[in-house]
């Protein structure tokens, strides 16, 4: 398969636009950009890329790696598996059921109570973060009174993932304060035995996993960052799609219909849209030779819109086969919190459709923001209460 022959933009120019993959030829899966970076867009080749051990997550130029040191996001092989082992007990199916039954209902009801009967032109900034921040702070075992400060500190840290080579001054200032708050909670002895912080330390010691205290803190921080920011973005996408839904919301009281709706939102608006990888050796990807040391941009959003897999891909159509949809990535780095996230989304959707007769979207300027925590922007949402 030939590489793009016509002039192409650089990776920096492409990544200035969340829908960057739309600027590349639709009949190719792998594209050589003007600065030597490779972009991968076809569904099958994206899945191949995410499973190729030659394509590493680790790279010394990544801002998250520089700021946090070794961590679950920027590691590969045995090191990555060790980090994931720390999170496994917290994200196991039985534990997720507990969070769903005991933790989520009160937080979800509080959010739905806040939005029903209102109109907002900033759902993301005003409401979307409340549920995931409530869930993740509770799971981490930190004082809920810190939720607002964590939200403030997390925003610049999200930039480490959105712009992988840029470490901002705001992120450098937020990081030590965030880790200081975590350490204060740990030192005060206020951590419940089943909290994330207590669990990962206990798991490390019991399984003799060779990770330092700072690496454990980085794991906790990235759990917080991923669990809050991806969910905030997806909840915004969910509301946006509900507001543009042509059917009766009551149809979504059926659990199967609800699951199909969520899967279609995830297909069109994967919370993480672009993933960066680095070739550790020469390889062939999708029939294209990729030299060692090349940077590779993998587009989950493009894979989820591949017309060879999803006919009429831009149309919102719940009930599609979702076997090849990649909302939580694939391969060794697939999101370990997918089960927790889906439980959160299913319960939220159920509560919304029980309380709302309609959700409308107006003043829609079809904005889309962010690479790592992608979501619709620039719209007004109105939540119209049921009267009976």
């Amino acid at each position: 398969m030939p590489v793009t022959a016509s002039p192409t933009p650089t990776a920096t120019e492409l990544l200035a636009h969340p829908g960057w993959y739309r600027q590349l030829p639709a009949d190719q899966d792998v594209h050589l950009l003007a600065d030597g970076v490779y972009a991968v867009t076809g569904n099958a080749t994206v899945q191949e890329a995410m499973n190729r051990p030659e394509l590493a997550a680790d790279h010394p130029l990544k801002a998250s790696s520089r700021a946090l040191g070794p961590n679950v996001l920027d590691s590969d092989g045995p090191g990555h598996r060790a980090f994931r082992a720390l999170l496994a007990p917290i994200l196991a199916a039985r534990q997720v059921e507990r969070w769903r039954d005991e933790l989520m209902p009160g937080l979800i009801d509080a959010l739905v109570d806040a939005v029903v009967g209102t109109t907002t032109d900033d759902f993301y900034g005003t409401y979307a973060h409340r549920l995931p921040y409530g869930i993740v702070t509770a799971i981490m075992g930190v004082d809920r009174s810190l939720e607002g400060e964590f939200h403030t500190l997390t925003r610049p840290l999200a930039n480490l993932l959105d712009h992988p080579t840029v470490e901002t001054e705001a992120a450098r200032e937020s990081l030590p304060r965030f880790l200081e708050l975590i350490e204060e909670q740990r030192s005060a002895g206020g951590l419940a035995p089943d909290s994330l912080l207590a669990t990962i330390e206990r798991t490390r010691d019991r399984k003799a996993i060779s990770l330092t205290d700072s690496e454990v803190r980085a794991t906790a921080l990235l759990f917080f960052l991923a669990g809050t920011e991806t969910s905030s973005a997806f909840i915004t996408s969910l509301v946006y799609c509900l507001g543009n839904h042509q059917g009766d919301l009551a149809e979504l009281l059926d659990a199967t219909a609800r699951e199909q709706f969520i899967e279609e939102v995830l297909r069109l608006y994967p919370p993480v849209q672009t993933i960066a990888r680095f070739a550790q050796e020469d390889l062939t990807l999708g029939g294209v030779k990729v030299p060692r040391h090349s940077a590779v941009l993998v587009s989950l959003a493009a894979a989820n819109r591949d017309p060879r897999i999803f006919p009429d891909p831009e149309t919102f159509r719940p009930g599609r086969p979702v076997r090849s949809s990649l909302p939580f990535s694939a391969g060794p780095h697939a999101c370990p919190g997918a089960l927790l996230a889906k439980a959160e989304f299913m319960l939220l959707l159920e509560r919304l459709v029980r309380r709302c007769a309609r959700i409308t979207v107006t003043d829609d300027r079809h904005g889309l923001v962010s690479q790592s925590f992608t979501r619709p922007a620039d719209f007004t949402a109105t939540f119209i209460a049921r009267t009976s």
Side-chain angles (χ1 to χ4, degrees), residues 267 305-315 317 320-321:
R267 182 188 70 83
R305 287 172 169 80
D306 189 331
R308 295 165 293 186
I309 308 297
F310 305 103
D312 195 14
E314 299 295 338
T315 300
R317 187 181 300 157
R320 293 177 186 266

Side-chain angles (χ1 to χ4, degrees), residues 145-198:
S145 67
L146 297 173
E147 182 181 320
E149 186 171 2
F150 275 157
H151 184 231
T152 300
L153 293 170
T154 298
R155 300 308 306 135
L157 292 175
N159 193 68
L160 295 175
L161 305 185
D162 227 19
H163 303 280
T165 62
V166 179
E167 186 179 354
T168 65
E169 184 61 32
R172 283 191 288 270
E173 293 174 355
S174 291
L175 179 59
R177 177 55 182 159
F178 196 109
L179 294 175
E180 179 185 359
L181 288 173
I182 293 177
E183 183 58 30
E184 286 175 358
Q185 294 286 298
R186 176 179 175 274
S187 300
L191 299 179
D194 62 349
S195 68
L196 172 76
L197 289 171

